[in-house]
Amino acid sequence: MKYVTLFTLFLLFSVMSVAQECSVLEDSLKGTYEGECRKGLANGNGTAKGTDQYTGHFKNGYPDGNGKYTWKNGDWYEGEWKKGKQNGSPLLFHSRVNP
């Protein structure tokens, strides 16, 4: 019984050390994040959903690299990002038209 309890605790600790909370630092994207992580921050390819949504490359918790950002009103920007800001010319930009 003692060994079973120790083994169970060991497994639980191992799983917890592998599972990593991953944060997105852009306020409008805080909510859920699925993707690559490094040192507790979104890093690599992923999708963050908060008030707005972003799918693409992250670096140190911010959109950085190529990706698509969609605002809650449906407008979107697809292109390069640097430290959470649009960088360069967009590949595509769509603005919702009101009738």
Coordinates of all heavy atoms in Angstrom, one line a residue:
M1 N 0.8 -1.2 0.0 CA 0.0 0.0 0.0 C 0.9 1.3 0.0 O 0.6 2.2 -0.7 CB -0.9 0.0 1.2 CG -1.8 1.1 1.4 SD -3.1 1.0 0.1 CE -4.1 2.3 0.6
K2 N 1.9 1.2 0.8 CA 2.8 2.4 0.9 C 3.5 2.7 -0.5 O 3.6 3.8 -0.9 CB 3.9 2.1 1.9 CG 4.9 3.3 2.1 CD 5.8 2.9 3.2 CE 6.8 4.1 3.4 NZ 7.8 3.8 4.4
Y3 N 3.9 1.6 -1.2 CA 4.5 1.8 -2.5 C 3.5 2.3 -3.5 O 3.9 3.1 -4.4 CB 5.2 0.5 -3.0 CG 6.3 0.1 -2.1 CD1 6.3 -1.0 -1.3 CD2 7.5 0.9 -2.1 CE1 7.3 -1.3 -0.5 CE2 8.6 0.5 -1.3 CZ 8.5 -0.6 -0.5 OH 9.5 -0.9 0.3
V4 N 2.3 1.8 -3.4 CA 1.2 2.3 -4.4 C 1.0 3.8 -4.2 O 0.9 4.5 -5.2 CB -0.1 1.5 -4.2 CG1 -1.2 2.1 -5.0 CG2 0.1 0.0 -4.5
T5 N 0.9 4.2 -3.0 CA 0.7 5.7 -2.7 C 1.9 6.5 -3.2 O 1.7 7.5 -3.8 CB 0.5 5.9 -1.2 OG1 -0.6 5.1 -0.7 CG2 0.2 7.3 -0.9
L6 N 3.1 6.0 -2.9 CA 4.3 6.7 -3.4 C 4.3 6.8 -4.9 O 4.7 7.8 -5.5 CB 5.6 6.1 -2.8 CG 5.8 6.3 -1.3 CD1 7.0 5.5 -0.9 CD2 6.0 7.8 -1.0
F7 N 4.0 5.7 -5.6 CA 4.0 5.6 -7.0 C 3.0 6.6 -7.6 O 3.2 7.3 -8.5 CB 3.8 4.2 -7.5 CG 3.8 4.0 -9.0 CD1 5.0 4.1 -9.6 CD2 2.7 3.8 -9.7 CE1 5.1 4.0 -11.0 CE2 2.7 3.7 -11.1 CZ 3.9 3.8 -11.7
T8 N 1.8 6.6 -7.0 CA 0.7 7.5 -7.4 C 1.1 8.9 -7.3 O 0.9 9.7 -8.2 CB -0.6 7.2 -6.6 OG1 -0.9 5.9 -6.7 CG2 -1.7 8.1 -7.1
L9 N 1.7 9.3 -6.2 CA 2.2 10.7 -6.0 C 3.3 11.0 -7.0 O 3.3 12.1 -7.6 CB 2.8 10.9 -4.6 CG 1.7 10.9 -3.5 CD1 2.4 10.9 -2.1 CD2 0.8 12.1 -3.7
F10 N 4.2 10.1 -7.3 CA 5.2 10.3 -8.3 C 4.6 10.6 -9.7 O 5.0 11.5 -10.4 CB 6.2 9.1 -8.4 CG 7.2 9.2 -9.5 CD1 8.3 10.0 -9.4 CD2 7.0 8.4 -10.6 CE1 9.2 10.1 -10.4 CE2 7.9 8.5 -11.7 CZ 9.0 9.4 -11.6
L11 N 3.6 9.8 -10.1 CA 3.0 9.9 -11.4 C 2.2 11.3 -11.4 O 2.3 12.0 -12.4 CB 2.0 8.8 -11.6 CG 2.5 7.5 -12.1 CD1 1.4 6.5 -12.2 CD2 3.3 7.6 -13.4
L12 N 1.6 11.7 -10.4 CA 0.8 12.9 -10.3 C 1.8 14.1 -10.5 O 1.6 15.0 -11.2 CB 0.0 13.0 -9.0 CG -0.8 14.3 -8.8 CD1 -1.8 14.4 -10.0 CD2 -1.5 14.3 -7.5
F13 N 2.9 14.0 -9.7 CA 3.9 15.1 -9.8 C 4.5 15.1 -11.2 O 4.7 16.2 -11.8 CB 5.0 14.9 -8.8 CG 6.1 15.9 -8.9 CD1 5.9 17.2 -8.4 CD2 7.4 15.5 -9.4 CE1 6.9 18.1 -8.5 CE2 8.4 16.5 -9.5 CZ 8.1 17.8 -9.0
S14 N 4.8 14.0 -11.8 CA 5.4 14.0 -13.2 C 4.4 14.6 -14.2 O 4.8 15.4 -15.1 CB 5.6 12.5 -13.6 OG 6.6 12.0 -12.8
V15 N 3.1 14.3 -14.1 CA 2.2 14.9 -15.1 C 2.0 16.4 -14.8 O 2.0 17.1 -15.8 CB 0.8 14.2 -14.9 CG1 -0.3 14.9 -15.7 CG2 0.9 12.7 -15.3
M16 N 2.0 16.8 -13.6 CA 1.9 18.2 -13.3 C 3.2 19.0 -13.8 O 3.1 20.1 -14.2 CB 1.7 18.5 -11.8 CG 0.3 18.0 -11.4 SD 0.1 18.2 -9.6 CE 0.4 19.9 -9.3
S17 N 4.3 18.4 -13.7 CA 5.5 19.1 -14.2 C 5.6 19.2 -15.7 O 6.2 20.1 -16.2 CB 6.8 18.4 -13.6 OG 6.9 17.1 -14.2
V18 N 5.0 18.3 -16.4 CA 4.9 18.4 -17.9 C 3.9 19.3 -18.4 O 4.1 20.1 -19.3 CB 4.7 16.9 -18.5 CG1 4.5 17.0 -20.0 CG2 5.9 16.0 -18.1
A19 N 2.7 19.3 -17.7 CA 1.6 20.2 -18.1 C 2.0 21.6 -17.7 O 2.4 21.9 -16.6 CB 0.3 19.8 -17.4
Q20 N 2.0 22.6 -18.6 CA 2.4 23.9 -18.4 C 1.4 24.9 -18.7 O 0.8 24.9 -19.7 CB 3.7 24.1 -19.3 CG 4.4 25.4 -19.0 CD 5.6 25.5 -19.9 OE1 5.9 26.6 -20.3 NE2 6.3 24.5 -20.3
E21 N 1.1 25.8 -17.7 CA 0.2 26.9 -18.0 C 0.9 27.8 -19.0 O 2.1 28.1 -18.8 CB 0.0 27.7 -16.7 CG -1.0 27.0 -15.7 CD -2.4 27.2 -16.1 OE1 -2.8 28.2 -16.7 OE2 -3.2 26.3 -15.8
C22 N 0.2 28.3 -19.9 CA 0.8 29.1 -21.0 C 0.0 30.4 -21.1 O -1.2 30.4 -21.3 CB 0.7 28.3 -22.3 SG 2.0 28.9 -23.4
S23 N 0.7 31.5 -20.9 CA 0.0 32.8 -20.8 C 0.2 33.6 -22.1 O 1.2 33.5 -22.8 CB 0.5 33.7 -19.7 OG 0.3 33.1 -18.5
V24 N -0.8 34.4 -22.5 CA -0.8 35.3 -23.6 C -0.8 36.7 -22.9 O -1.7 36.9 -22.0 CB -2.0 35.2 -24.5 CG1 -2.0 36.3 -25.6 CG2 -1.9 33.8 -25.2
L25 N 0.0 37.6 -23.2 CA 0.1 38.9 -22.5 C -0.7 40.0 -23.1 O -0.9 41.0 -22.5 CB 1.6 39.3 -22.5 CG 2.5 38.3 -21.7 CD1 4.0 38.8 -21.8 CD2 2.0 38.1 -20.3
E26 N -1.2 39.8 -24.3 CA -2.1 40.8 -25.0 C -3.5 40.7 -24.3 O -4.1 39.7 -24.4 CB -2.2 40.6 -26.5 CG -2.9 41.6 -27.3 CD -2.2 42.9 -27.3 OE1 -1.0 43.0 -27.4 OE2 -2.9 44.0 -27.2
D27 N -3.9 41.8 -23.7 CA -5.2 41.8 -22.9 C -6.4 41.3 -23.7 O -7.2 40.5 -23.2 CB -5.5 43.2 -22.3 CG -4.6 43.5 -21.2 OD1 -4.0 42.6 -20.5 OD2 -4.4 44.7 -20.9
S28 N -6.5 41.7 -24.9 CA -7.7 41.4 -25.8 C -7.7 39.9 -26.2 O -8.6 39.4 -26.7 CB -7.8 42.3 -27.0 OG -6.6 42.1 -27.8
L29 N -6.5 39.2 -26.0 CA -6.4 37.8 -26.4 C -6.4 36.9 -25.2 O -6.3 35.7 -25.3 CB -5.1 37.6 -27.2 CG -5.1 38.3 -28.5 CD1 -3.7 38.2 -29.2 CD2 -6.2 37.9 -29.4
K30 N -6.5 37.4 -24.0 CA -6.4 36.6 -22.8 C -7.8 35.8 -22.6 O -8.8 36.4 -22.8 CB -6.2 37.4 -21.5 CG -4.8 38.0 -21.4 CD -4.6 38.8 -20.2 CE -3.2 39.3 -20.1 NZ -2.9 40.1 -18.9
G31 N -7.7 34.6 -22.4 CA -8.9 33.7 -22.3 C -8.4 32.3 -22.4 O -8.0 31.7 -21.4
T32 N -8.4 31.8 -23.6 CA -7.9 30.4 -23.8 C -6.8 30.5 -24.8 O -6.7 31.3 -25.7 CB -9.0 29.5 -24.4 OG1 -9.4 29.9 -25.7 CG2 -10.2 29.3 -23.4
Y33 N -5.8 29.5 -24.7 CA -4.7 29.4 -25.6 C -4.4 28.0 -25.8 O -4.4 27.2 -24.9 CB -3.5 30.1 -25.0 CG -2.2 29.9 -25.9 CD1 -2.1 30.6 -27.1 CD2 -1.3 29.0 -25.6 CE1 -1.0 30.4 -27.9 CE2 -0.2 28.7 -26.4 CZ 0.0 29.4 -27.5 OH 1.1 29.2 -28.4
E34 N -4.3 27.6 -27.1 CA -3.8 26.3 -27.5 C -2.7 26.5 -28.4 O -2.8 27.1 -29.5 CB -5.0 25.6 -28.2 CG -6.1 25.2 -27.4 CD -7.2 24.4 -28.1 OE1 -6.9 23.8 -29.1 OE2 -8.4 24.5 -27.7
G35 N -1.6 25.9 -28.1 CA -0.4 25.9 -28.9 C 0.9 25.7 -28.2 O 0.9 25.3 -27.0
E36 N 2.0 26.1 -28.8 CA 3.3 25.9 -28.3 C 3.6 26.9 -27.1 O 3.0 28.0 -27.1 CB 4.3 26.1 -29.4 CG 4.2 25.0 -30.4 CD 5.2 25.3 -31.6 OE1 6.4 25.0 -31.4 OE2 4.7 25.6 -32.7
C37 N 4.4 26.5 -26.2 CA 4.6 27.3 -25.0 C 6.1 27.2 -24.6 O 6.7 26.1 -24.8 CB 3.8 26.7 -23.9 SG 3.7 27.7 -22.4
R38 N 6.6 28.2 -24.0 CA 8.0 28.2 -23.5 C 8.1 29.1 -22.3 O 7.7 30.3 -22.4 CB 9.0 28.7 -24.6 CG 10.4 28.5 -24.2 CD 11.4 28.8 -25.4 NE 12.4 29.6 -24.9 CZ 12.8 30.7 -25.4 NH1 12.3 31.1 -26.6 NH2 13.8 31.4 -24.9
K39 N 8.6 28.6 -21.2 CA 8.7 29.3 -20.0 C 7.4 30.0 -19.5 O 7.4 31.1 -19.1 CB 9.8 30.3 -20.1 CG 11.2 29.6 -20.3 CD 12.3 30.7 -20.3 CE 13.6 30.0 -20.5 NZ 14.8 30.9 -20.6
G40 N 6.3 29.3 -19.7 CA 5.0 29.8 -19.3 C 4.3 30.8 -20.2 O 3.3 31.4 -19.9
L41 N 4.9 31.1 -21.3 CA 4.4 32.1 -22.3 C 4.1 31.5 -23.6 O 4.9 30.6 -24.0 CB 5.3 33.3 -22.4 CG 5.6 34.1 -21.2 CD1 6.7 35.2 -21.5 CD2 4.3 34.8 -20.8
A42 N 3.1 32.0 -24.3 CA 2.8 31.5 -25.7 C 4.1 31.8 -26.5 O 4.6 32.9 -26.5 CB 1.6 32.3 -26.2
N43 N 4.6 30.7 -27.2 CA 5.8 30.9 -27.9 C 5.8 29.8 -29.0 O 5.8 28.6 -28.7 CB 7.0 30.7 -27.0 CG 8.2 31.4 -27.5 OD1 8.2 32.7 -27.6 ND2 9.3 30.7 -27.9
G44 N 5.7 30.2 -30.3 CA 5.6 29.3 -31.4 C 4.2 29.5 -32.0 O 3.6 30.5 -31.8
N45 N 3.7 28.5 -32.7 CA 2.4 28.5 -33.3 C 1.3 28.2 -32.3 O 1.4 27.3 -31.5 CB 2.3 27.6 -34.5 CG 3.2 28.1 -35.6 OD1 3.3 29.2 -35.9 ND2 4.0 27.1 -36.2
G46 N 0.2 29.0 -32.4 CA -1.0 28.7 -31.5 C -2.1 29.6 -31.9 O -2.1 30.5 -32.8
T47 N -3.2 29.4 -31.1 CA -4.4 30.2 -31.2 C -4.8 30.7 -29.8 O -4.9 29.9 -28.9 CB -5.6 29.4 -31.8 OG1 -5.2 29.0 -33.1 CG2 -6.9 30.2 -31.9
A48 N -5.0 32.0 -29.7 CA -5.5 32.6 -28.5 C -6.9 33.2 -28.7 O -7.1 33.9 -29.7 CB -4.5 33.7 -28.0
K49 N -7.8 33.0 -27.8 CA -9.2 33.5 -27.9 C -9.5 34.3 -26.6 O -9.4 33.7 -25.5 CB -10.2 32.4 -28.1 CG -10.0 31.7 -29.4 CD -11.0 30.6 -29.6 CE -10.7 29.8 -30.8 NZ -11.6 28.6 -31.0
G50 N -9.8 35.5 -26.7 CA -10.3 36.4 -25.6 C -11.4 37.2 -26.2 O -12.3 36.6 -26.8
T51 N -11.4 38.5 -26.0 CA -12.4 39.4 -26.7 C -12.2 39.3 -28.2 O -13.1 39.2 -28.9 CB -12.2 40.8 -26.2 OG1 -12.2 40.9 -24.8 CG2 -13.2 41.7 -26.8
D52 N -10.9 39.2 -28.6 CA -10.6 39.0 -30.0 C -9.9 37.6 -30.2 O -9.7 36.9 -29.2 CB -9.6 40.1 -30.4 CG -10.2 41.5 -30.3 OD1 -11.4 41.7 -30.4 OD2 -9.4 42.5 -30.0
Q53 N -9.5 37.3 -31.4 CA -8.8 36.0 -31.6 C -7.6 36.2 -32.5 O -7.6 37.1 -33.4 CB -9.8 35.1 -32.3 CG -9.2 33.7 -32.6 CD -10.2 32.7 -33.2 OE1 -11.3 32.7 -32.7 NE2 -9.8 32.0 -34.2
Y54 N -6.6 35.4 -32.2 CA -5.4 35.5 -33.1 C -4.9 34.0 -33.3 O -4.8 33.3 -32.3 CB -4.2 36.3 -32.4 CG -2.9 36.2 -33.1 CD1 -2.7 37.0 -34.2 CD2 -1.9 35.4 -32.7 CE1 -1.5 37.0 -34.9 CE2 -0.7 35.3 -33.4 CZ -0.5 36.1 -34.4 OH 0.7 36.1 -35.1
T55 N -4.6 33.7 -34.5 CA -4.0 32.4 -34.9 C -2.7 32.7 -35.7 O -2.8 33.4 -36.7 CB -4.9 31.6 -35.7 OG1 -6.1 31.3 -35.0 CG2 -4.3 30.3 -36.1
G56 N -1.6 32.2 -35.2 CA -0.4 32.4 -35.9 C 0.8 32.2 -34.9 O 0.7 31.4 -34.0
H57 N 1.9 32.9 -35.2 CA 3.1 32.7 -34.4 C 3.1 33.7 -33.2 O 2.7 34.9 -33.3 CB 4.3 33.0 -35.3 CG 5.6 32.4 -34.7 ND1 6.4 33.2 -33.9 CD2 6.1 31.2 -34.7 CE1 7.4 32.4 -33.5 NE2 7.2 31.2 -34.0
F58 N 3.6 33.2 -32.1 CA 3.8 34.0 -30.9 C 5.2 34.0 -30.5 O 6.0 33.1 -30.7 CB 3.0 33.4 -29.7 CG 1.5 33.6 -29.8 CD1 0.7 32.7 -30.5 CD2 0.9 34.6 -29.1 CE1 -0.6 32.8 -30.6 CE2 -0.5 34.7 -29.2 CZ -1.3 33.9 -29.9
K59 N 5.6 35.1 -29.8 CA 6.9 35.1 -29.2 C 6.8 35.9 -27.8 O 6.3 37.0 -27.8 CB 7.9 35.9 -30.1 CG 9.4 35.9 -29.6 CD 10.3 36.5 -30.6 CE 11.7 36.5 -30.0 NZ 12.6 37.2 -31.0
N60 N 7.3 35.2 -26.8 CA 7.2 35.8 -25.4 C 5.8 36.3 -25.0 O 5.7 37.3 -24.4 CB 8.2 36.9 -25.3 CG 9.7 36.4 -25.5 OD1 10.0 35.3 -25.1 ND2 10.5 37.2 -26.2
G61 N 4.8 35.6 -25.4 CA 3.4 35.9 -25.0 C 2.7 36.9 -25.9 O 1.5 37.2 -25.7
Y62 N 3.3 37.4 -27.0 CA 2.7 38.3 -27.9 C 2.7 37.8 -29.3 O 3.6 37.0 -29.7 CB 3.5 39.6 -27.9 CG 3.3 40.4 -26.7 CD1 4.3 40.4 -25.7 CD2 2.2 41.2 -26.4 CE1 4.2 41.1 -24.5 CE2 2.1 42.0 -25.3 CZ 3.1 41.9 -24.3 OH 2.9 42.7 -23.2
P63 N 1.7 38.2 -30.1 CA 1.7 37.9 -31.6 C 3.0 38.4 -32.1 O 3.4 39.6 -31.9 CB 0.5 38.6 -32.1 CG -0.4 38.7 -31.0 CD 0.4 38.9 -29.8
D64 N 3.8 37.6 -32.8 CA 5.1 38.0 -33.4 C 5.4 37.0 -34.5 O 5.6 35.9 -34.3 CB 6.1 37.9 -32.3 CG 7.4 38.7 -32.7 OD1 8.1 38.2 -33.6 OD2 7.7 39.7 -32.0
G65 N 5.4 37.6 -35.7 CA 5.6 36.7 -36.9 C 4.3 36.8 -37.8 O 3.6 37.8 -37.7
N66 N 4.1 35.8 -38.5 CA 2.9 35.8 -39.4 C 1.7 35.2 -38.7 O 1.8 34.3 -38.0 CB 3.2 34.9 -40.6 CG 2.4 35.2 -41.8 OD1 1.7 36.2 -41.9 ND2 2.3 34.3 -42.7
G67 N 0.5 35.9 -38.9 CA -0.7 35.5 -38.2 C -1.9 36.3 -38.6 O -1.8 37.3 -39.3
K68 N -3.0 35.8 -38.2 CA -4.3 36.4 -38.5 C -5.0 36.8 -37.2 O -5.2 36.0 -36.3 CB -5.2 35.5 -39.2 CG -6.6 36.1 -39.6 CD -7.5 35.1 -40.4 CE -8.8 35.7 -40.7 NZ -9.6 34.8 -41.5
Y69 N -5.3 38.1 -37.1 CA -6.0 38.7 -35.9 C -7.4 39.1 -36.3 O -7.6 39.7 -37.3 CB -5.2 39.9 -35.4 CG -5.7 40.5 -34.1 CD1 -4.9 40.3 -33.0 CD2 -6.8 41.2 -33.9 CE1 -5.2 40.8 -31.7 CE2 -7.2 41.7 -32.7 CZ -6.4 41.5 -31.6 OH -6.8 41.9 -30.4
T70 N -8.4 38.6 -35.5 CA -9.8 38.9 -35.8 C -10.4 39.6 -34.6 O -10.3 39.1 -33.5 CB -10.6 37.6 -36.1 OG1 -10.0 36.9 -37.1 CG2 -12.0 38.0 -36.5
W71 N -10.9 40.8 -34.8 CA -11.5 41.6 -33.8 C -13.0 41.1 -33.6 O -13.5 40.5 -34.4 CB -11.6 43.1 -34.2 CG -10.2 43.7 -34.0 CD1 -9.7 44.4 -32.9 CD2 -9.2 43.8 -35.1 NE1 -8.4 44.8 -33.2 CE2 -8.1 44.5 -34.5 CE3 -9.1 43.4 -36.4 CZ2 -6.9 44.7 -35.2 CZ3 -8.0 43.6 -37.1 CH2 -6.9 44.3 -36.5
K72 N -13.5 41.5 -32.4 CA -14.9 41.0 -32.1 C -15.9 41.4 -33.1 O -17.0 40.8 -33.2 CB -15.2 41.3 -30.6 CG -15.4 42.8 -30.4 CD -15.8 43.1 -29.0 CE -16.0 44.5 -28.7 NZ -16.4 44.8 -27.4
N73 N -15.7 42.5 -33.8 CA -16.7 43.0 -34.8 C -16.6 42.3 -36.1 O -17.4 42.5 -37.0 CB -16.6 44.5 -35.0 CG -15.4 44.9 -35.7 OD1 -14.5 44.1 -36.0 ND2 -15.2 46.2 -35.9
G74 N -15.6 41.4 -36.3 CA -15.5 40.6 -37.5 C -14.4 41.1 -38.4 O -14.0 40.4 -39.4
D75 N -13.9 42.3 -38.2 CA -12.8 42.8 -39.0 C -11.6 42.0 -38.7 O -11.4 41.4 -37.6 CB -12.5 44.3 -38.7 CG -13.5 45.2 -39.1 OD1 -14.5 44.8 -39.8 OD2 -13.5 46.4 -38.7
W76 N -10.7 41.8 -39.7 CA -9.5 41.0 -39.5 C -8.3 41.6 -40.3 O -8.4 42.3 -41.2 CB -9.7 39.5 -39.8 CG -10.3 39.2 -41.1 CD1 -11.6 39.1 -41.4 CD2 -9.6 39.0 -42.3 NE1 -11.8 38.8 -42.7 CE2 -10.6 38.7 -43.3 CE3 -8.3 38.9 -42.7 CZ2 -10.3 38.4 -44.6 CZ3 -8.0 38.6 -44.0 CH2 -8.9 38.4 -44.9
Y77 N -7.1 41.2 -39.8 CA -5.8 41.6 -40.4 C -5.0 40.3 -40.4 O -4.9 39.6 -39.4 CB -5.2 42.6 -39.5 CG -3.7 42.9 -39.8 CD1 -3.3 43.9 -40.7 CD2 -2.7 42.1 -39.3 CE1 -2.0 44.1 -41.0 CE2 -1.3 42.4 -39.6 CZ -1.0 43.4 -40.5 OH 0.3 43.6 -40.8
E78 N -4.4 40.1 -41.6 CA -3.5 38.9 -41.8 C -2.2 39.4 -42.3 O -2.2 40.1 -43.4 CB -4.2 37.9 -42.7 CG -3.4 36.6 -42.8 CD -4.1 35.5 -43.5 OE1 -5.3 35.6 -43.8 OE2 -3.4 34.5 -43.9
G79 N -1.2 39.2 -41.6 CA 0.1 39.7 -42.0 C 1.2 39.5 -40.9 O 1.0 38.6 -40.0
E80 N 2.2 40.4 -40.9 CA 3.3 40.3 -40.0 C 2.9 41.0 -38.7 O 2.3 42.1 -38.7 CB 4.5 40.9 -40.6 CG 5.2 39.9 -41.6 CD 5.8 38.7 -41.0 OE1 6.4 38.8 -39.9 OE2 5.5 37.6 -41.6
W81 N 3.5 40.5 -37.6 CA 3.3 41.1 -36.3 C 4.7 41.2 -35.6 O 5.5 40.4 -35.9 CB 2.4 40.3 -35.4 CG 1.0 40.2 -35.9 CD1 0.5 39.4 -36.9 CD2 -0.1 41.1 -35.5 NE1 -0.8 39.7 -37.1 CE2 -1.2 40.7 -36.3 CE3 -0.2 42.1 -34.6 CZ2 -2.4 41.3 -36.2 CZ3 -1.4 42.7 -34.5 CH2 -2.5 42.3 -35.2
K82 N 4.9 42.2 -34.8 CA 6.1 42.4 -34.0 C 5.7 42.9 -32.6 O 5.1 43.9 -32.5 CB 7.0 43.3 -34.7 CG 8.4 43.4 -34.1 CD 9.2 42.2 -34.4 CE 10.6 42.4 -33.9 NZ 11.4 41.1 -34.0
K83 N 6.0 42.1 -31.6 CA 5.7 42.4 -30.2 C 4.2 42.8 -30.0 O 3.9 43.8 -29.4 CB 6.6 43.5 -29.7 CG 8.1 43.0 -29.7 CD 9.0 44.1 -29.2 CE 10.5 43.6 -29.2 NZ 11.4 44.7 -28.8
G84 N 3.3 42.1 -30.7 CA 1.9 42.4 -30.5 C 1.3 43.5 -31.4 O 0.1 43.8 -31.3
K85 N 2.1 44.1 -32.2 CA 1.7 45.2 -33.1 C 1.8 44.8 -34.6 O 2.7 44.1 -35.0 CB 2.6 46.5 -32.9 CG 2.6 46.9 -31.4 CD 1.3 47.5 -31.0 CE 1.5 48.0 -29.5 NZ 0.3 48.1 -28.8
Q86 N 0.9 45.4 -35.4 CA 0.9 45.1 -36.8 C 2.3 45.7 -37.4 O 2.7 46.7 -36.9 CB -0.2 45.8 -37.5 CG -1.6 45.3 -37.2 CD -2.7 46.2 -37.8 OE1 -2.5 46.9 -38.7 NE2 -3.9 46.0 -37.3
N87 N 2.9 44.9 -38.2 CA 4.2 45.3 -38.7 C 4.3 45.1 -40.2 O 4.2 43.9 -40.7 CB 5.3 44.4 -38.0 CG 6.7 44.8 -38.4 OD1 7.0 46.0 -38.4 ND2 7.6 43.8 -38.6
G88 N 4.4 46.1 -41.0 CA 4.5 46.0 -42.4 C 3.1 46.1 -43.1 O 2.1 46.4 -42.5
S89 N 3.1 45.7 -44.3 CA 1.9 45.8 -45.1 C 1.1 44.5 -44.9 O 1.6 43.4 -44.8 CB 2.2 45.9 -46.6 OG 2.9 47.1 -46.9
P90 N -0.2 44.6 -44.7 CA -1.1 43.4 -44.5 C -1.2 42.6 -45.8 O -1.1 43.1 -46.9 CB -2.4 43.9 -44.2 CG -2.5 45.3 -44.8 CD -1.1 45.8 -44.8
L91 N -1.3 41.3 -45.6 CA -1.6 40.4 -46.8 C -3.0 40.5 -47.2 O -3.4 40.6 -48.3 CB -1.3 38.9 -46.4 CG 0.2 38.6 -46.1 CD1 0.3 37.2 -45.6 CD2 1.0 38.9 -47.3
L92 N -3.9 40.6 -46.2 CA -5.4 40.8 -46.4 C -5.9 41.6 -45.3 O -5.5 41.5 -44.1 CB -6.1 39.4 -46.4 CG -5.7 38.4 -47.4 CD1 -6.3 37.1 -47.1 CD2 -6.2 38.9 -48.8
F93 N -6.9 42.5 -45.6 CA -7.6 43.2 -44.6 C -9.0 43.3 -45.0 O -9.3 43.6 -46.1 CB -7.0 44.6 -44.4 CG -7.7 45.5 -43.4 CD1 -7.4 45.3 -42.1 CD2 -8.6 46.4 -43.7 CE1 -8.1 46.0 -41.1 CE2 -9.3 47.1 -42.8 CZ -9.0 46.9 -41.5
H94 N -9.9 43.0 -44.1 CA -11.3 43.0 -44.4 C -12.0 43.9 -43.4 O -11.9 43.8 -42.2 CB -11.9 41.6 -44.3 CG -13.4 41.6 -44.6 ND1 -14.3 41.6 -43.5 CD2 -14.1 41.5 -45.7 CE1 -15.5 41.5 -44.0 NE2 -15.4 41.5 -45.3
S95 N -12.8 44.9 -43.9 CA -13.5 45.7 -43.0 C -15.0 45.4 -43.2 O -15.5 45.4 -44.4 CB -13.2 47.2 -43.3 OG -14.0 48.0 -42.4
R96 N -15.7 45.2 -42.2 CA -17.2 44.8 -42.3 C -17.9 46.1 -42.9 O -17.7 47.2 -42.5 CB -17.7 44.5 -41.0 CG -19.1 44.0 -41.0 CD -19.5 43.5 -39.6 NE -19.5 44.6 -38.7 CZ -20.2 44.6 -37.6 NH1 -20.9 43.6 -37.2 NH2 -20.2 45.7 -36.8
V97 N -18.8 45.8 -43.8 CA -19.6 46.9 -44.4 C -20.9 46.9 -43.8 O -21.6 45.9 -43.8 CB -19.7 46.7 -46.0 CG1 -20.5 47.8 -46.6 CG2 -18.3 46.7 -46.6
N98 N -21.4 48.1 -43.3 CA -22.7 48.2 -42.7 C -23.7 48.7 -43.8 O -23.4 49.6 -44.5 CB -22.7 49.2 -41.6 CG -22.0 48.7 -40.4 OD1 -22.0 47.5 -40.1 ND2 -21.3 49.6 -39.7
P99 N -24.8 48.0 -44.0 CA -25.8 48.4 -45.0 C -26.5 49.7 -44.7 O -26.5 50.2 -43.6 CB -26.8 47.3 -45.0 CG -26.6 46.4 -43.8 CD -25.3 46.8 -43.3

